[in-house]
Amino acid sequence: MKLIVKSGLRYYQKNLLQLFLSILGIAMGVAVVVAIDLANSSAIRGFDISMETISGKANYQIRGNEFVDDSLLGYIRHSFPYIKTAPILEKYIKLNVNKPITITFLGLDPFSERYFRNYFNDANLDFQNSIVKLMTIKSAVIVSNRFAHKYNFKVGDSIAIEVDGVNKKLYLCGILNLTNDEQQKSSENLILSDIAIAQDIFGLKNKISRIDIIAKDDQVNSIQNFLPKGVNITQADNRASAGKNMTQSFRTNLTAMSLLSIIVGMFLIYNTMTFSVVQRRQYLGLLRSIGVTNNEIFRLIISESILLGIIGTTIGMIAGIFLGNFLIKLVTNTINDMYFVLQVQDVNISTFSLIKGILLGIFATILSAIKPAKEAANVPAGIVLIRSSAETGLIAKSSKMMVYGFIFIVLGVAFLFIPIKNIYISYLGMIPLMIGFSLITPKFIITMIDLILPIFTKLFGSIGKMSARGIKENLSRTTISIAALSIALSAAIGIGSMVSSFRQTVIDWLNYRLNADIYASVPTNVSRFNDGTFPEWVIDSAKSINGVVKMNLYRELQINHKGKIYHLLASKVQPQNFERFVETLYDAETVWKKFRTEEVLLVSESYAFKNNIRPGDSLTIPTDQGYKTFQVIAIYYDYSSDIGLIFINMNVFRKYYNDKLYSGIGLFVNDSTQVDRVAEELREKVSPKLHFLVRTNKSLIRSSVEVFDRTFIITDVLQLLAIVVSFIGIFSAMMALQLEKSRQFAILRANGLTPIQLWKHIIYQTGLMGFISGLLAIPLGILIAYILINIINTRSFGWSISYYFDSIYLIQAVIVGIISAILAGIYPAIKMANTPPALSLRND
């Protein structure tokens, strides 16, 4: 066995470039999966760190829907003196530095904090010089040493911030000397102040965000019974759970899409191991003929694959960590756009992610090598020594393989239509489709070559004919290369078509949803959520502008109640603003009439999907007056939030919530030529007091589409990486194929074939292989697009997306296939054309 292993090592020593490409392909596949997993886990860990640091040692919290009256704290302390309590005022603000950034502002009571958070202990902060100033100086705040270093602040400096569109100045009276690594990370974007100072800064007199408490479980019911309507006691970790649940679908889809790289990588590994077997068929046959057993041959191939897997996976792990540093920014940007502000954005190297990457890489390598290893071990020695047996055998079996391929495709489609919500299982359903198309590949190649051969002969003469026939004559080699490239191209078609269709669906939705001429709001912290608010005087200013004939009013509010998110959109809209409904109890006009006159709700499609709501159902939501049950009379299309929206009439909202603020307005102008003038006048009226975003209909649609495009940048990166992995695969295959045929090329050279003709022969052949890969990728890509749009997306988010067929992705697939294959063939072409025939004809 030692001699057999040595022979295997010697083979790879002679084919170092192929060895390098094999390891690189494995490493790329592993790196993508590890990087995505690290980015996902880092984002969630960063959120956990922020929540843990902000919550401290509290195990319960007393919350209202947005704020609670601070007088409640005194009542609780008087009624439950044995329970430790601490008031908190928490708010997202904009820090106006060179590049404005959203950070967290915490108002705390220094004297209550010793049981909850350790910011104000003697080790972190000097009491005499900082705490006293913090409690007595107007707008005084403290920050961590990491914050001060990052933004170049020192004690005594003024810090410029923006709160709900209003610019304010803070006075830095002290710097926390934090040494704990996690505390440093969580405080990197955190400003602290005395809670009374915070109330003054934000204009929230007598209001706090919550009361943190440390209580025993058996005390909770007593506290809840004491609380007024609309105020509840919840577990402190409910907020973190709600945040994770909000992003679950996004993170699951990202992980599942990254697994496509491993699938492509498995084809590459299978490709590599098969080529190593095919190239050594005669040598393996000789080993078999002198007594080496089929089990020893099998062990040789599997041992080689394990070694390649270990090396490739190790490199992939290292590359994945570096790639994760890049992807974490894309992931957190998407989370910040869609869900909530993520303060901690460092890569957290998870042991679980690394172990998963190791197991995935090595398992994929071994799994990919089993079939070629069995083939090498089980073929009789006499047949192995006959070079043509592999090709004639595959050609003979191509029709049978095609039948099996169609069976796999049908099974895969049937599996995907099983009504389950598990996204990983849905993605696994695509594997039979890819296997099915791979089994169809040999017959497809034979058919295409028979059709193309006359055309190639006419266009390129005998060189073209020889190039086309060479693909069919070397079917055992070319099949795997074409299948691997077509799988990667089909994934690119499917993902590209899905994103394009989603984008066009969103644009169409925006065009009929945004029918006012002008939209205005204060800057938001999360792009898809209007969390900024403004008071009534802004509405009065807008009404006074000449040319404004009608107005839509909005108030958007997210309620985190016992670990569940309720995203409310209160509105007062014009009668002509009819919505496109997915499902209703009545006709559209009746729905809107009831919405304006009765206490009913509309819910978005994604909310209905995730909460199993149908028109006619009752929905109970928390209000400031306690729980209130409403009837849902319609489900409407909405793509602004995948957690779902609850649409409520503004008058009903004001009745049950103690809230008089607004999140946005939409203005209708009587003359379309006056839109810009009205927008500018509104800006001038409000801007001296408030940073107000005033945008026309077209500019708002444009900025919304920009946010959409930003959220899919990471998808584009994954597409590119999948194509890179496939390019490595076909480059490796081309190298192996051309090097194996070096003796044949040498004979052709000896018989008068010039180097340029040989170069053309290889380029024509690789280009044609790329063309066939592109054509084969088209039906699979369309099928993947349909699955992503109508099955995966629906089960993930509940959105209805129209499939917009765009031929550009099909054309791009063919072009990318041709270019990739030609580029992969350039080096082998140059190498073969420049190799002296005598050298290649020399026997080993």
Side-chain angles (χ1 to χ4, degrees):
M1 196 65 198
K2 288 182 180 179
L3 291 173
I4 297 171
V5 171
K6 281 185 179 180
S7 70
L9 292 174
R10 192 170 292 120
Y11 163 76
Y12 283 109
Q13 284 176 351
K14 290 175 63 178
N15 297 276
L16 286 176
L17 182 57
Q18 188 180 350
L19 175 64
F20 169 75
L21 292 170
S22 303
I23 292 171
L24 182 60
I26 298 168
M28 283 288 292
V30 172
V32 172
V33 174
V34 169
I36 288 293
D37 206 56
L38 286 178
N40 273 340
S41 62
S42 297
I44 291 306
R45 181 56 189 152
F47 181 69
D48 284 343
I49 291 171
S50 297
M51 293 299 100
E52 289 167 9
T53 305
I54 290 172
S55 298
K57 297 177 183 177
N59 59 348
Y60 286 95
Q61 294 175 345
I62 294 174
R63 287 179 168 276
N65 292 316
E66 190 171 17
F67 298 107
V68 296
D69 198 295
D70 60 8
S71 61
L72 181 62
L73 178 65
Y75 292 123
I76 290 174
R77 285 178 171 174
H78 179 266
S79 303
F80 304 95
Y82 47 85
I83 292 176
K84 297 178 177 63
T85 59
I88 305 291
L89 180 54
E90 180 183 353
K91 198 168 181 65
Y92 287 131
I93 62 172
K94 278 276 193 320
L95 178 66
N96 290 328
V97 286
N98 291 335
K99 186 179 179 182
I101 184 173
T102 301
I103 62 172
T104 301
F105 191 109
L106 278 187
L108 308 172
D109 175 16
F111 297 107
S112 304
E113 282 300 298
R114 64 184 181 278
Y115 299 114
F116 293 87
R117 288 153 286 265
N118 61 350
Y119 290 125
F120 300 119
N121 62 32
D122 292 337
N124 292 338
L125 199 67
D126 177 65
F127 182 87
Q128 187 66 35
N129 292 327
S130 298
I131 298 294
V132 173
K133 291 180 180 178
L134 186 69
M135 299 176 67
T136 56
I137 298 177
K138 185 178 180 181
S139 299
V141 297
I142 56 175
V143 300
S144 69
N145 43 2
R146 185 158 172 168
F147 181 105
H149 176 74
K150 180 178 180 180
Y151 300 110
N152 196 28
F153 285 118
K154 60 183 183 298
V155 174
D157 282 353
S158 177
I159 301 176
I161 65 166
E162 182 182 311
V163 185
D164 289 339
V166 179
N167 290 318
K168 294 180 179 291
K169 295 284 187 180
L170 305 177
Y171 169 72
L172 182 58
C173 69
I175 295 177
L176 290 166
N177 183 32
L178 300 178
T179 55
N180 179 276
D181 185 57
E182 288 200 349
Q183 272 200 331
Q184 285 191 354
K185 286 181 181 179
S186 63
S187 64
E188 181 177 335
N189 293 308
L190 180 66
I191 291 180
L192 304 173
S193 81
D194 177 71
I195 193 163
I197 298 293
Q199 288 174 323
D200 183 59
I201 291 170
F202 300 134
L204 294 171
K205 187 179 180 181
N206 303 325
K207 297 293 181 183
I208 55 177
S209 301
R210 67 178 189 271
I211 301 171
D212 284 354
I213 65 174
I214 299 174
K216 296 178 181 178
D217 294 343
D218 58 5
Q219 298 169 335
V220 171
N221 288 335
S222 299
I223 298 172
Q224 180 63 65
N225 294 333
F226 174 82
L227 299 176
K229 286 183 178 181
V231 180
N232 295 278
I233 182 170
T234 63
Q235 291 184 336
D237 60 0
N238 276 353
R239 183 180 176 188
S241 298
K244 291 180 202 175
N245 291 336
M246 284 172 70
T247 61
Q248 181 62 45
S249 296
F250 164 72
R251 292 183 291 108
T252 300
N253 268 278
L254 206 56
T255 300
M257 284 180 64
S258 72
L259 293 177
L260 286 175
S261 296
I262 275 288
I263 294 171
V264 174
M266 286 177 68
F267 273 93
L268 168 60
I269 298 161
Y270 173 73
N271 181 0
T272 301
M273 300 312 301
T274 302
F275 264 115
S276 72
V277 170
V278 168
Q279 284 184 281
R280 290 182 285 173
R281 281 178 69 88
Q282 290 187 328
Y283 172 72
L284 294 173
L286 288 171
L287 290 177
R288 293 286 309 284
S289 66
I290 62 173
V292 176
T293 66
N294 56 359
N295 184 49
E296 287 171 332
I297 296 294
F298 181 82
R299 285 164 57 194
L300 170 67
I301 305 302
I302 293 297
S303 299
E304 290 175 0
S305 71
I306 292 173
L307 183 60
L308 287 176
I310 291 172
I311 297 171
T313 300
T314 302
I315 296 171
M317 302 295 289
I318 298 169
I321 293 171
F322 284 102
L323 184 60
N325 277 285
F326 168 70
L327 292 183
I328 182 65
K329 293 179 175 61
L330 298 181
V331 170
T332 53
N333 285 344
T334 301
I335 290 174
N336 287 343
D337 278 335
M338 295 178 65
Y339 304 105
F340 48 76
V341 178
L342 193 62
Q343 300 286 4
V344 182
Q345 300 183 10
D346 293 337
V347 171
N348 177 62
I349 300 177
S350 163
T351 304
F352 176 72
S353 296
L354 298 182
I355 291 173
K356 186 163 65 173
I358 291 169
L359 294 176
L360 195 60
I362 295 175
F363 174 75
T365 306
I366 296 172
L367 188 66
S368 303
I370 287 175
K371 186 175 182 293
K374 281 185 175 180
E375 289 177 352
N378 295 331
V379 178
I383 296 177
V384 171
L385 291 169
I386 302 172
R387 166 67 185 84
S388 60
S389 63
E391 311 306 336
T392 55
L394 185 56
I395 291 171
K397 291 189 295 184
S398 62
S399 296
K400 189 176 181 180
M401 289 172 66
M402 183 176 69
V403 173
Y404 286 134
F406 281 118
I407 292 172
F408 267 96
I409 291 170
V410 171
L411 289 174
V413 171
F415 183 82
L416 283 161
F417 277 94
I418 297 173
I420 51 177
K421 288 188 177 182
N422 190 297
I423 303 306
Y424 287 116
I425 293 177
S426 298
Y427 269 101
L428 285 175
M430 284 199 276
I431 294 179
L433 296 179
M434 295 179 179
I435 293 173
F437 271 85
S438 300
L439 291 171
I440 290 171
T441 302
K443 190 65 177 179
F444 184 80
I445 293 171
I446 293 168
T447 305
M448 288 303 301
I449 293 300
D450 289 343
L451 293 172
I452 292 172
L453 187 60
I455 301 171
F456 242 56
T457 303
K458 189 172 182 179
L459 289 175
F460 306 114
S462 59
I463 300 294
K465 182 178 182 180
M466 185 169 62
S467 300
R469 288 181 62 181
I471 296 173
K472 185 176 177 179
E473 290 170 355
N474 295 277
L475 196 63
S476 64
R477 285 83 157 167
T478 56
T479 291
I480 305 161
S481 304
I482 290 172
L485 182 57
S486 66
I487 292 294
L489 293 174
S490 66
I493 291 173
I495 295 170
S497 298
M498 182 272 290
V499 173
S500 176
S501 296
F502 196 2
R503 188 178 193 272
Q504 189 58 51
T505 300
V506 169
I507 290 172
D508 291 344
W509 169 73
L510 288 169
N511 281 325
Y512 76 73
R513 166 64 70 83
L514 301 178
N515 49 20
D517 297 304
I518 298 168
Y519 289 88
S521 63
V522 298
T524 61
N525 297 310
V526 179
S527 298
R528 292 195 181 186
F529 171 47
N530 278 334
D531 54 346
T533 57
F534 53 87
E536 183 77 34
W537 69 264
V538 177
I539 308 298
D540 296 335
S541 298
K543 286 179 180 177
S544 67
I545 298 174
N546 184 34
V548 175
V549 290
K550 288 176 287 189
M551 186 181 299
N552 290 340
L553 304 176
Y554 304 98
R555 174 66 172 110
E556 204 165 339
L557 179 66
Q558 269 193 10
I559 300 172
N560 185 342
H561 181 73
K562 295 187 176 180
K564 186 174 181 180
I565 299 293
Y566 296 86
H567 191 161
L568 300 182
L569 178 59
S571 69
K572 184 177 181 181
V573 295
Q574 299 306 311
Q576 74 269 29
N577 290 16
F578 291 119
E579 186 64 73
R580 294 183 185 178
F581 294 111
V582 180
E583 193 177 354
T584 68
L585 282 179
Y586 316 98
D587 62 88
E589 189 170 352
T590 304
V591 167
W592 279 107
K593 183 178 179 181
K594 285 181 172 293
F595 180 76
R596 285 190 293 270
T597 59
E598 299 178 18
E599 294 186 2
V600 295
L601 299 176
L602 313 179
V603 298
S604 68
E605 185 182 22
S606 54
Y607 186 89
F609 170 77
K610 292 187 176 182
N611 295 277
N612 296 314
I613 298 290
R614 299 287 300 276
D617 291 349
S618 295
L619 178 60
T620 301
I621 61 175
T623 75
D624 290 343
Q625 311 301 322
Y627 293 104
K628 174 65 181 174
T629 300
F630 300 91
Q631 185 187 37
V632 175
I633 60 171
I635 299 168
Y636 67 97
Y637 291 103
D638 181 90
Y639 302 95
S640 63
S641 169
D642 68 302
I643 63 173
L645 284 168
I646 300 170
F647 205 24
I648 185 170
N649 181 273
M650 183 71 80
N651 293 331
V652 178
F653 176 80
R654 299 289 194 224
K655 178 180 178 181
Y656 292 104
Y657 293 88
N658 305 319
D659 187 302
K660 305 299 180 186
L661 299 173
Y662 296 89
S663 301
I665 54 175
L667 305 181
F668 294 84
V669 180
N670 59 0
D671 184 352
S672 60
T673 62
Q674 298 297 308
V675 170
D676 290 338
R677 177 194 60 80
V678 172
E680 184 59 32
E681 192 170 336
L682 176 61
R683 199 176 288 114
E684 289 175 357
K685 279 179 173 286
V686 178
S687 290
K689 299 180 181 178
L690 202 64
H691 181 192
F692 211 43
L693 293 177
V694 181
R695 292 173 286 190
T696 61
N697 177 293
K698 290 181 180 179
S699 65
L700 181 56
I701 290 175
R702 186 167 57 250
S703 63
S704 299
V705 173
E706 286 173 0
V707 171
F708 175 90
D709 290 338
R710 230 174 23 239
T711 62
F712 279 96
I713 289 176
I714 193 165
T715 305
D716 296 335
V717 171
L718 291 180
Q719 269 185 282
L720 179 62
L721 289 172
I723 292 175
V724 169
V725 171
S726 67
F727 173 77
I728 294 169
I730 197 165
F731 183 55
S732 175
M734 290 299 101
M735 280 294 300
L737 181 60
Q738 306 310 326
L739 290 172
E740 186 189 3
K741 293 170 66 178
S742 60
R743 188 175 181 83
Q744 178 186 335
F745 292 150
I747 293 171
L748 292 172
R749 288 283 310 280
N751 282 277
L753 192 74
T754 64
I756 190 65
Q757 287 175 321
L758 178 58
W759 195 89
K760 286 180 180 180
H761 163 66
I762 296 173
I763 294 302
Y764 291 160
Q765 189 172 84
T766 55
L768 183 55
M769 288 174 66
F771 175 72
I772 294 171
S773 297
L775 290 183
L776 184 61
I778 288 173
L780 179 56
I782 292 173
L783 188 56
I784 289 174
Y786 177 84
I787 291 166
L788 289 173
I789 291 169
N790 294 293
I791 297 175
I792 303 294
N793 169 76
T794 302
R795 291 174 183 175
S796 298
F797 304 108
W799 284 320
S800 294
I801 299 176
S802 302
Y803 183 21
Y804 288 87
F805 179 79
D806 193 343
S807 60
I808 190 65
Y809 290 104
L810 311 185
I811 296 168
Q812 280 179 355
V814 176
I815 293 172
V816 170
I818 293 171
I819 293 174
S820 298
I822 289 175
L823 289 174
I826 288 176
Y827 177 74
I830 294 172
K831 186 175 179 63
M832 292 298 102
N834 294 333
T835 301
L839 188 62
S840 297
L841 288 170
R842 185 183 301 159
N843 288 322
D844 291 333

